[in-house]
Amino acid sequence: MSDSVGAALLAIAAALCIAVGTVVRQRTAAGVPDDAVGTLGPITALVRNPVWWLGTVAGVGGYAFQAAALGRGSLLLVQPLLVLSLLFALPLGARLADRSVGRSEWLWAAALTGSVAVLVVLGNPRPGLARAEPLHWVLTGLVGAPLVAAGLIAARRVRGARKALLLGAVGGALFGVSAVLTKGVVDIASRGVLPLATAPELWALLLLAAGAVTVQQAAFQAGDLRASLLGFVVLGEYLDADRAMSVVLVTAAAVMVAATVALARGDAAASSPDQAVCPPGE
């Protein structure tokens, strides 16, 4: 089995585990009353719920599959496949909520699946650097930190599905950066325990992942946006395509983003019939 095929299979397994873990954890989070929400959000109450921990175990399994996939394949191969967690979560979330999946949701799900297939099959992702250069991290921080802060501030001023989507977008961006760090950590881990323990990527990953999980739990929705194309900027990964094919790939990426947003918006609205979701990833 080639590395690309193995990475794709591991990524699909990760997407399935992420879907199960996300639905379970966020269904549990939806039941947290407002007066039980602490400074860090609903997670302070959720850690005392055994059902939430079952969902967390599934989510950790998904992360383990993701890390294994990143160890074998390109970030641009693995991350788009993780978007399929939305597709897996769609019927599961509807089943647990005792509702049917609408025609528009299935259409967007089909569009998402098709666009991911185009990116993975036609794009032929190629590997870049195993670890990002310090300058790239500085530039990413200068651009990303203000956007994340703006998203968190804006989320404090709105309620309902808009709040869930804003927090989902912030959590998704943090998970996207975590994926880049994970690829670096996997590469460093192959050199031994000491290099791993002294690597700044490891500690940055732990800090960022904790923040991403906290924000994700506060979002109460399964459709967090993932920065799946971040690897192109930070790691120098690329899709092997000529100019004509690039147009197809850009179109597929746009459809993937549009479908992800549409499914996330529908799920956030459905999870809050009174449009009052208050404070998700993973």
Side-chain angles (χ1 to χ4, degrees):
M1 181 184 298
S2 67
D3 284 344
S4 295
V5 173
L9 292 176
L10 288 168
I12 293 173
L16 181 57
C17 289
I18 289 171
V20 173
T22 298
V23 171
V24 171
R25 283 180 290 134
Q26 295 180 351
R27 287 285 299 174
T28 306
V32 176
D34 292 342
D35 56 7
V37 176
T39 304
L40 296 178
I43 196 169
T44 52
L46 291 170
V47 293
R48 298 191 293 269
N49 190 321
V51 177
W52 181 83
W53 280 107
L54 291 176
T56 299
V57 170
V60 171
Y63 179 76
F65 279 122
Q66 179 189 10
L70 289 171
R72 299 189 63 170
S74 162
L75 190 75
L76 284 176
L77 169 64
V78 174
Q79 290 304 100
L81 287 173
L82 290 185
V83 180
L84 293 176
S85 60
L86 283 174
L87 182 61
F88 296 144
L90 184 63
L92 178 59
R95 176 74 174 178
L96 293 179
D98 194 24
R99 67 179 180 87
S100 60
V101 180
R103 180 181 300 178
S104 62
E105 290 178 289
W106 282 123
L107 289 175
W108 279 118
L112 174 63
T113 305
S115 60
V116 170
V118 169
L119 284 172
V120 173
V121 176
L122 298 183
N124 192 18
R126 300 289 186 176
L129 302 175
R131 299 172 65 185
E133 298 178 1
L135 177 60
H136 291 164
W137 280 122
V138 171
L139 294 176
T140 300
L142 290 175
V143 174
L147 293 176
V148 168
L152 292 174
I153 293 172
R156 294 174 63 89
R157 300 177 179 177
V158 297
R159 296 179 65 82
R162 290 183 180 180
K163 188 182 192 79
L165 286 172
L166 280 170
L167 290 173
V170 171
L174 294 178
F175 276 121
V177 179
S178 297
V180 180
L181 288 169
T182 298
K183 188 171 179 63
V185 168
V186 170
D187 177 70
I188 298 169
S190 64
R191 306 175 191 174
V193 176
L194 182 60
L196 178 62
T198 56
E201 287 94 337
L202 173 63
W203 303 106
L205 173 61
L206 294 176
L207 180 63
L208 203 62
V213 169
T214 301
V215 173
Q216 184 196 48
Q217 286 300 147
F220 286 165
Q221 49 110 2
D224 58 305
L225 301 178
R226 297 182 180 276
S228 58
L229 298 183
L230 186 64
F232 180 81
V233 177
V234 179
L235 295 181
E237 298 189 354
Y238 63 94
L239 296 175
D240 187 13
D242 54 25
R243 182 175 300 179
M245 187 60 68
S246 296
V247 175
V248 176
L249 296 177
V250 169
T251 302
V255 171
M256 184 182 74
V257 171
T260 302
V261 172
L263 288 172
R265 187 186 300 275
D267 185 71
S271 65
S272 178
D274 59 357
Q275 295 298 300
V277 177
C278 298
E282 300 189 236

